[in-house]
């Protein structure tokens, strides 16, 4: 019988075992499953007024299932490795007929000495990149076995596996001393209640992908603390809201983190996410695409995000040009920015780009396109004429609404300065 919290696959769907026991009035043992796909569920863990389990991640994603041989409980890491990367030798055949995959089985060719190729590919110790995406890996192997078999893996994809604990992940990665990139997308991992026990298991890791894992932010913070060289963190599609992003008085010691990808969540408060991420002093690139941010207020004293160089705000809900002026105050060294898909870009299709460029003095790339010196000068000239044409009229109000007004008037040609700034 599976243990509580373990993962299963059944009928093409994956889920977590939340209950094991009888369900009245039916006789025998049942499994209570919280499915990853909530549409597979039938209830929230209760039946006929009796609660048997709780769906922790998505309400209504539960159902009961009889234990059967049709339920897949997964395989070990090395079982998956050998089944995917070792092809059995064909023996004495020097010439074989193979089908070209691109021909959909209509073209056959004769191939010579394929066993030599199979033999080379079967040298697992030479593997650098391994993908087990959807391969149903569930457990590690006996201590030392993974390290002896494939010690040189640099990149490992364990997405959509049946691993349910960070202890299992760490038992695998501990034997991969050169591992730099790890993908755990679409897994459902239990919180690491004693993350200090994971020390030494991720010493070379620089990239971690936890997209669509529905992990809580405090659990992510605790785990990456034991990854001393981590630079890039992907945590998109996790349903984060502003309330979820709270360090709760905990100040992370992760000094190496440079990139965080928060795309496709439900974040709406710019200040809150900035304060959360300001705990990481080396952070230079932040992806907040496809969230729900409507406003960027001007920062208060000591709130500037001085190390930020690259930011994606595409497909949010920014409405006002004042938000872009505020962004310049938050990120005084910003070099690249994505704004496509925001109302301020779609509502001003003919002049949105120059108006954005002129407001951000340090910007070098906007929406993936480099900004030339000529484009910047033209944009800033256009911005000045825009201010004069649209107002406000008083010098004080212009400086307040357009923080670069005096700077641009001073830096551009004298005749223009005299006309626009008499």
């Amino acid at each position: 019988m599976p243990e509580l919290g373990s993962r299963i696959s059944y009928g093409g769907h994956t889920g977590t075992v939340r209950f094991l026991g009888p369900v009245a009035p039916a006789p025998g043992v049942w499994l209570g499953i919280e499915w990853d796909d909530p549409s597979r569920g039938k209830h929230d863990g209760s039946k006929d007024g009796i609660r048997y389990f709780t769906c922790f991640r998505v309400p209504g994603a539960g159902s009961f299932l009889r234990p059967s041989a049709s339920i897949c409980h997964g395989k070990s890491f090395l079982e998956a490795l050998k089944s995917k990367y070792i092809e059995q030798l064909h023996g004495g055949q020097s010439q074989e007929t193979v089908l070209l995959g691109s021909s959909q089985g209509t073209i056959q060719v004769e191939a010579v000495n394929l066993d030599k190729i199979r033999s080379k590919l079967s040298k697992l110790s030479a593997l650098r990149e391994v993908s087990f995406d959807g391969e149903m890996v569930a457990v590690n192997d006996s201590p030392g076995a993974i390290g002896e078999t494939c010690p040189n893996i640099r990149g490992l994809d364990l997405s959509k596996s049946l691993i349910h604990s960070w202890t299992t992940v760490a038992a695998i990665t501990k034997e991969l001393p050169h591992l730099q990139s790890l993908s755990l997308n679409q897994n459902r991992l239990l919180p690491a209640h004693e993350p200090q026990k994971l020390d030494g298991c991720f010493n070379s890791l620089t990239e971690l992908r936890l997209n669509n894992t529905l992990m809580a932010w405090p659990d992510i913070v605790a785990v990456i603390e034991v990854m001393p060289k981590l630079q890039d963190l992907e945590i998109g599609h996790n349903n984060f809201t502003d309330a979820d992003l709270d360090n709760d008085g905990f100040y992370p010691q992760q000094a190496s983190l440079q990139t965080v990808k928060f795309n496709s969540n439900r974040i709406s408060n710019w200040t809150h996410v900035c304060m959360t991420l300001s705990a990481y002093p080396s952070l230079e690139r932040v992806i907040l695409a496809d969230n729900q941010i409507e406003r960027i207020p001007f920062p208060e004293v000591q709130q500037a995000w001085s190390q930020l160089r690259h930011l994606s705000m595409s497909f949010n809900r920014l409405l006002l040009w004042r938000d872009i002026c505020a962004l310049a105050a938050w990120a005084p060294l910003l070099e690249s920015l994505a704004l496509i898909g925001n109302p301020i870009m779609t509502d001003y299709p003919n002049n949105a780009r120059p108006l954005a460029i002129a407001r951000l003095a340090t910007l070098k790339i906007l929406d993936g396109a480099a900004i030339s010196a000529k484009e910047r000068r033209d944009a800033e000239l256009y911005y000045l004429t825009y201010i004069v044409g649209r107002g406000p009229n008083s010098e004080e109000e212009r400086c307040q609404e357009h923080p670069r007004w005096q700077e641009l008037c001073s830096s551009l040609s004298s005749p223009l300065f005299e006309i626009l700034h008499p």
Side-chain angles (χ1 to χ4, degrees), residues 79-91:
E79 286 174 341
L81 187 76
K82 293 173 181 177
S83 67
K84 181 169 184 177
Y85 290 95
I86 295 181
E87 185 178 354
Q88 295 298 318
L89 301 183
H90 288 204

Side-chain angles (χ1 to χ4, degrees), residues 62-331:
S63 72
F64 292 107
L65 196 65
R66 284 285 195 188
S68 73
S70 300
I71 299 175
C72 173
H73 299 280
K75 63 186 77 169
S76 78
F77 182 92
L78 288 182
E79 286 174 341
L81 187 76
K82 293 173 181 177
S83 67
K84 181 169 184 177
Y85 290 95
I86 295 181
E87 185 178 354
Q88 295 298 318
L89 301 183
H90 288 204
Q93 292 181 315
S94 61
Q95 185 168 307
E96 301 174 37
T97 300
V98 296
L99 298 176
L100 292 183
S102 60
S103 71
Q104 298 182 342
T106 61
I107 301 176
Q108 296 182 352
V109 297
E110 297 294 329
V112 180
N113 293 327
L114 284 182
D115 269 356
K116 287 186 177 180
I117 299 175
R118 293 187 182 101
S119 181
K120 288 181 179 180
L121 292 177
S122 67
K123 293 179 180 178
L124 301 179
S125 62
L127 286 174
R128 296 294 190 272
E129 300 289 330
V130 171
S131 175
F132 288 146
D133 188 341
E135 295 290 333
M136 303 302 162
V137 174
V139 295
N140 55 293
D141 296 87
S142 58
I146 294 174
E148 291 175 4
T149 305
C150 50
N152 293 306
I153 293 176
R154 266 67 170 173
L156 176 61
D157 190 346
L158 288 170
S159 299
K160 291 187 286 185
S161 74
L162 296 183
I163 295 173
H164 74 283
S165 75
W166 279 101
T167 302
T168 300
V169 174
I172 294 171
T173 59
K174 185 177 182 179
E175 300 194 29
L176 303 174
H178 305 293
L179 187 66
Q180 298 174 356
S181 176
L182 176 63
S183 295
L184 295 169
N185 304 322
Q186 293 181 262
N187 286 302
R188 299 292 182 265
L189 299 168
L190 295 172
H193 295 297
E194 297 179 288
Q196 67 275 11
K197 291 186 177 181
L198 308 180
D199 275 337
C201 298
F202 304 94
N203 285 345
S204 298
L205 197 69
T206 60
E207 300 176 8
L208 178 64
R209 298 178 181 88
L210 295 172
N211 300 300
N212 194 13
T213 58
L214 303 186
M215 287 183 66
W217 172 248
D219 296 332
I220 293 174
V221 170
V223 166
I224 65 174
E225 284 289 291
V226 299
M227 301 173 180
K229 295 183 180 179
L230 187 67
Q231 297 178 8
D232 299 333
L233 175 65
E234 291 187 15
I235 43 178
H237 300 272
N238 280 309
N239 289 331
F240 288 127
T241 64
D242 300 324
D244 297 322
L245 301 183
D246 192 346
N247 289 335
D248 197 24
F250 175 72
Y251 296 96
Q253 303 300 310
Q254 192 9 291
S256 62
L257 194 63
Q258 297 178 7
T259 300
V260 172
K261 298 181 179 178
F262 257 120
N263 55 292
S264 304
N265 283 287
R266 294 186 290 151
I267 299 166
S268 61
N269 190 309
W270 165 265
T271 302
H272 192 78
V273 71
C274 286
M275 292 299 95
T276 297
L277 294 179
S278 65
Y280 300 96
S282 300
L283 200 60
E284 295 184 354
R285 184 184 300 271
V286 174
I287 309 299
L288 286 167
D290 195 20
N291 275 279
Q292 301 173 8
I293 298 173
E294 297 183 1
R295 293 295 314 279
I296 300 179
F298 276 83
E300 297 179 2
V301 178
Q302 297 182 338
Q303 278 190 330
W305 211 348
S306 58
Q307 76 275 22
L308 188 65
R309 301 293 194 278
H310 312 281
L311 174 67
S312 175
M313 291 290 294
S314 57
F315 297 99
N316 274 270
R317 302 175 182 178
L318 296 177
L319 293 164
L320 304 175
W321 284 113
R322 184 170 176 79
D323 297 328
I324 308 305
C325 294
L327 181 58
W330 277 99

Side-chain angles (χ1 to χ4, degrees), residues 1-4 6 20-21 29-31 66-68 73:
M1 287 292 180
E3 61 182 58
L4 294 181
S6 64
L20 179 63
V29 175
W30 291 84
L31 302 178
R66 284 285 195 188
S68 73
H73 299 280

